[in-house]
Amino acid sequence: MVEAFPHVAQLLGPGFPQVVARSVPAHPSPHHSLARLGHAFAPFLKTEAGRADLADLAALEWARAGAFVAIDSETASRAEEHTPELQAPR
């Protein structure tokens, strides 16, 4: 969990393992991969651990971790790159 939530771990310091030890049994992973273990950590921080101040940071770190393990999407073709839906707003 330190790898998924490095800044939260740093801010919680020595208390991080205890918070994780309370979070994991309260919200077991629905997935077989340990990469998904922290799926409910941000809401846990907000509601059950009394650390709403860190919940947004945890959600941001979880999104980053999710992007790291996400399946790659197909590359857009040249024709798709020039469609209005895919162009950045001006």
Side-chain angles (χ1 to χ4, degrees):
M1 294 269 287
V2 171
E3 291 83 12
F5 303 101
H7 294 97
V8 172
Q10 182 180 12
L11 290 170
L12 285 174
F16 183 73
Q18 289 82 13
V19 173
V20 170
R22 290 178 24 228
S23 171
V24 172
H27 302 282
S29 179
H31 197 273
H32 66 276
S33 172
L34 289 177
R36 305 285 186 210
L37 186 60
H39 74 283
F41 193 56
F44 175 83
L45 285 172
K46 186 174 188 174
T47 60
E48 298 173 46
R51 290 305 307 256
D53 58 322
L54 295 180
D56 288 341
L57 176 58
L60 178 64
E61 290 188 314
W62 183 247
R64 180 199 49 82
F68 182 75
V69 297
I71 297 171
D72 291 337
S73 63
E74 300 233 356
T75 304
S77 69
R78 280 282 201 206
E80 291 172 327
E81 289 176 6
H82 297 288
T83 59
E85 301 86 37
L86 295 177
Q87 292 180 359
R90 295 182 181 160

